[in-house]
Amino acid sequence: MPYKNYLLIFCFSFAVFLALHFYFISAAYAYALNNAAKAGKIAEAGKNNNSDAAPYPLNLIRAYKKAVKYDHGYKAALYGKRAAGALGREGLSVLLPHISAQAGVSRYDFISPPPFYYSFASRTEGVSITQPLFSMKRIFEYSQYRTRQSIGNVKFESEKQDLIIRVAEVYLDVLAAKNFLDVLKSQKKAVRYELKQAKKLLSAGAGTKTGLYDARAKYYSVLSQIVGAESNLQNAYMKFKDVVGVSGRNLEPLRNHIPAAAPEPENLKYWVNVGIKHNPMLKYYRYNINYLQEEVKMDISSYLPSAGLQAGYTATNTQMLLKTPPLRYYSIGFQINIPIFDGGYAFAKTSKSDNMALQAKQEYEKEVFKNTRKLSRSYLGAKGDVVKIKMLQLALKSAKISLTGDRLGFKAGIKTIADVLNAIESVYNVKAKLLKAKYEYIMNLLDLYFNAGVLSEYDLGKINGWLRG
């Protein structure tokens, strides 16, 4: 082969080698970059998982939906409701016919039988039906099953409303803690400005050490309050996570102005009557009374006669241990059961059930009284908060005007820095009280609906509209 051909082959091979080399280097570099990117995403996800913050701002409705999927008490109540749903059909079974089929095969091998006894295989098939015709005990038993079904439903409704109020409470607690911390930070900024001014005036010979010490004292007082507020906020985060399952660090805040109005209608008696009718726990106590009263009736019915119908079909080749030609026959009968004496058991049980029913009535009246007090407190609290919010809004305007006047007076030399610091403290104290009044109003309103037994996702959506979403 000519020398030029060898040279061409060598150059071509070397070019291929370089191309493959750069290809694999590029692929390795791209693989490394991809892994680095994945590692970064995993690290970021790890941070998010550590904080358990939702990937988007949570409002009340979203928080409630997450709590529904997370809360074990709600899930347990849901399964309890589903189980209670079968109690009606279970109770109906005591009034409907019971049908059973029987089949049997036996071998009879006689050891020392009489001459006419022969070993043989026995076969028996049959169907029997029993149908109660008259049984007051079974009727009351069926009624008890229906009552237990209703109890299961009200337990679920109670748990659902309880979850709504708990979600709202922890949500508003986080917002209130955040807002109070923001107020303190703003107060810190304002006091720090006055502290700088006091230092400048003292350096220029126009201020006093007393003014400087007053400013420092106010500043450190606010710092100490901020430490406590940050601790309260962390506790609010933890409580939120316990209820909702995610961190409360990414919540939609409350608007500056909310439509605070007295509950409609403005009639405490109306709300008390609504609570008696709809409150799930009061319903539970009423159903429990019904259940125990039905227990009394069922115990009394133990003294009464009962009647039932029995019918059947039998096919067999056995009679009295003797093999016979196949026999087939139907049977139908009427059975009456008349209790006469059971040792006093029915009388004692009736007395016990009667006293338990009376006990349940007293417990119900006690719960009605307690719920009436809760409704009164929530209703009057919400009405009072409306007035308090309006009063504090005016007080805030007045405090701001006073602060402006004190600052002008300080510049004119007729006010001291202590007066300015006190005016600043007054402004931010009113702000904090106003925030507290707003959150107390919302919680009193929700408590009113909760104790009245009418709290629903609609009410949560109403409050949700007051957020800056």
Side-chain angles (χ1 to χ4, degrees), residues 176-186 225-226 229-230 233:
K178 276 185 178 180
N179 288 159
F180 184 61
L181 183 59
D182 291 340
V183 168
L184 289 175
K185 286 180 177 179
S186 298
Q225 292 181 64
I226 288 175
E230 287 176 341
L233 179 58

Side-chain angles (χ1 to χ4, degrees), residues 13 87 107 112 219 226 237 300 387 394:
S13 301
L87 288 172
R107 176 69 187 180
S112 301
Y219 183 72
I226 288 175
Y237 283 149
I300 293 174
V387 178
L394 294 173

